[in-house]
């Protein structure tokens, strides 16, 4: 399991989290957390399952 933090404008964060959930890897999703100060950005935390043997390319 891996924990992922999405950060951005609310619509962007929701669309990305929904796309990841539709892909079937999201186990749990947090509520939306506003960023500090006057920022319009929000954060959402996802717990994701990455299946063993899944081919993932590595970009360093």
């Amino acid at each position: 399991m891996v924990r992922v933090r999405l950060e951005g404008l609310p619509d962007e964060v929701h669309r990305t989290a929904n796309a990841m959930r539709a892909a079937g890897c999201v186990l749990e999703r947090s509520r939306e957390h506003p960023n500090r100060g006057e920022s319009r950005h929000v954060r959402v935390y996802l717990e994701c399952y990455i299946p063993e043997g899944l081919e993932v390319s590595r970009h360093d």
Side-chain angles (χ1 to χ4, degrees), residues 7-42:
E7 184 174 0
L9 294 173
D11 184 55
E12 296 168 331
V13 168
H14 290 292
R15 284 184 311 173
T16 303
N18 289 341
M20 291 177 72
R21 177 166 277 171
C25 66
V26 176
L27 299 172
E28 193 171 316
R29 179 178 176 168
S30 76
R31 66 176 179 82
E32 184 180 287
H33 300 275
N35 280 3
R36 294 186 174 125
E38 305 271 331
S39 178
R40 295 181 5 226
H41 291 154
V42 298

